[in-house]
Amino acid sequence: DVQLVESGGGSAEAGGSLRLSCVASGYFASSYCMGWFRQAPGAEREAVAGIENDGSTAYIDSVKGRFTISQDSAKNIVYLQMDNLKPEDTATYYCRVGPVGVCTAVVAGTARERFLYSYYGQGTQVTVSS
């Protein structure tokens, strides 16, 4: 089975930075994409950033220029560097894995999240104070 373990969340002041990590372990396809999603209390989960196995990335408009997604494919780790944090970034952040091409498509709004693999981690909480 596949396990996803997110870490790196915490509290930060507006303008601060946090770096999230997600380690994926277990069997899945040799080529895959990874992405970060977030869910704030009372809100729907939204895609934040995605990265494909060729290194191509996608971001939602609200985080462009502030967040950077990267990966260590050899170690099955995806990172989310979050700079210039804003209070509206407060949420629980989750990583997902999926077929090649799907993660960035989900972020771009051209594919549905349900096309990703059905594996979920426990998430990591990010709280940004003003």
Side-chain angles (χ1 to χ4, degrees):
D1 203 3
V2 173
Q3 290 83 43
L4 299 172
V5 180
E6 302 95 341
S7 62
S11 298
E13 293 186 351
S17 298
L18 287 171
R19 188 190 193 209
L20 307 184
S21 300
C22 173
V23 179
S25 61
Y27 172 78
F28 47 93
S30 58
S31 297
Y32 54 91
C33 68
M34 297 189 78
W36 285 96
F37 292 72
R38 66 186 180 187
Q39 187 166 20
E44 294 187 356
R45 185 166 58 233
E46 66 173 347
V48 176
I51 187 166
E52 301 295 334
N53 64 332
D54 64 358
S56 57
T57 59
Y59 301 89
I60 55 173
D61 287 345
S62 61
V63 307
K64 283 181 180 176
R66 301 189 298 118
F67 290 11
T68 304
I69 188 171
S70 61
Q71 64 182 356
D72 182 338
S73 299
K75 297 182 180 179
N76 294 336
I77 302 174
V78 63
Y79 303 98
L80 187 67
Q81 177 66 42
M82 305 186 296
D83 298 319
N84 191 20
L85 284 162
K86 301 178 179 181
E88 51 264 41
D89 295 320
T90 295
T92 301
Y93 285 70
Y94 303 88
C95 70
R96 300 288 307 277
V97 294
V100 172
V102 176
C103 292
T104 52
V106 171
V107 173
T110 57
R112 294 184 182 274
E113 187 182 346
R114 64 183 176 91
F115 291 117
L116 298 174
Y117 299 137
S118 298
Y119 303 114
Y120 301 88
Q122 82 289 349
T124 186
Q125 177 67 37
V126 171
T127 303
V128 184
S129 58
S130 57

